[in-house]
């Protein structure tokens, strides 16, 4: 389990469920729920939502990609608070869909929480943190043009979720798993092209 009980997936899901208690939920509602200083957990939150069936909603992968790229770039630049364009913050979705996605993710997230703790911390700080955040900027750039492929972004969002969860909990095992998936994806692309 994460050393800090506030650094858990279940805590994030509880916050999302609380933000989605009305008829619709916006990114602004979620920012209000988590605070405007929570860059890494917000990247994790958006990527988790895109791993769920929400990624099948037209426009969701593109909006998620924009949010992740903007947030990860801000983290790379050392910005202390979250800034998002107003049009992104106003994006809304039916709260019922969000609550369903949260429910769908609870069991796997509880499993992951039980098996995370501070390990290989060197992968979560300094230069390695910078490299991880850079991957979080680059990877989602492919989602908007490939949004027509059903659930394509879910795979990329899973990688972002692994990387950001590792940073969030300071568990380098998850960062390493994210790197391995990226490496396998690159290898598969090279093999396919040649």
């Amino acid at each position: 389990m994460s050393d800090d009980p506030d650094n858990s997936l279940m805590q994030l899901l509880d916050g999302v469920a609380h933000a989605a208690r009305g008829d619709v939920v916006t990114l602004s509602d979620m920012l209000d729920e988590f605070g405007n200083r929570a860059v890494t957990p917000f990247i994790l939150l958006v990527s988790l939502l895109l791993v769920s069936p929400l990624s099948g909603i037209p426009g969701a992968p593109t909006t998620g990609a924009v949010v992740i790229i903007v947030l990860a770039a801000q983290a790379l630049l050392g910005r202390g608070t979250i800034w998002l364009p107003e049009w992104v913050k106003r994006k809304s979705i039916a709260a019922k869909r969000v609550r369903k996605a949260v429910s769908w993710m609870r069991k796997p997230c509880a499993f992951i929480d039980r098996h995370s703790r501070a390990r290989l911390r060197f992968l979560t700080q300094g230069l390695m943190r910078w490299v991880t955040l850079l991957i979080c900027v680059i990877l989602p750039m492919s989602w908007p043009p490939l949004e027509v492929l059903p659930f394509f972004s879910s795979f990329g969002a899973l990688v972002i979720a692994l990387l950001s969860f590792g940073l969030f909990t300071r568990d380098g095992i998850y960062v390493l798993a994210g790197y391995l998936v990226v490496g396998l994806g690159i290898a598969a692309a090279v093999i396919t092209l040649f």
Side-chain angles (χ1 to χ4, degrees), residues 9-174:
L9 294 175
M10 294 306 286
Q11 182 258 346
L12 278 178
L13 293 179
D14 289 344
V16 173
H18 189 261
R21 61 194 179 279
D23 292 333
V24 295
V25 63
T26 64
L27 284 173
S28 184
D29 294 332
M30 291 190 198
L31 277 173
D32 291 344
E33 185 67 34
F34 293 102
N36 71 344
R37 300 183 64 86
V39 176
T40 306
F42 208 70
I43 292 170
L44 174 59
L45 170 64
V46 173
S47 63
L48 283 174
L49 290 173
L50 289 175
V51 170
S52 80
L54 286 179
S55 68
I57 297 171
T62 297
T63 301
V66 168
V67 171
I68 290 170
I69 290 166
V70 168
L71 292 177
Q74 289 177 61
L76 275 172
L77 296 172
R79 187 176 170 92
T81 58
I82 292 175
W83 174 86
L84 287 171
E86 284 301 317
W87 70 269
V88 171
K89 291 195 318 192
R90 286 192 305 266
K91 284 280 188 181
S92 65
I93 190 169
K96 182 179 179 180
R97 284 185 144 169
V98 173
R99 289 190 299 267
K100 185 176 180 179
V102 166
S103 176
W104 182 83
M105 292 186 294
R106 283 202 182 272
K107 194 175 264 187
C109 286
F111 176 84
I112 292 169
D113 276 346
R114 284 192 305 273
H115 294 91
S116 69
R117 59 186 178 280
R119 300 175 282 198
L120 302 178
R121 289 182 87 157
F122 71 94
L123 290 173
T124 68
Q125 51 200 5
L127 176 63
M128 294 309 293
R129 176 180 171 79
W130 191 88
V131 169
T132 301
L133 289 168
L134 185 61
I135 291 170
C136 291
V137 169
I138 295 169
L139 188 62
M141 290 180 181
S142 66
W143 302 350
L146 297 173
E147 188 172 320
V148 294
L149 300 174
F151 302 103
F152 171 81
S153 60
S154 291
F155 176 76
L158 176 62
V159 173
I160 300 292
L162 287 168
L163 295 172
S164 57
F165 181 68
L167 294 178
F168 181 55
T169 60
R170 296 174 193 87
D171 190 341
I173 292 290
Y174 290 93

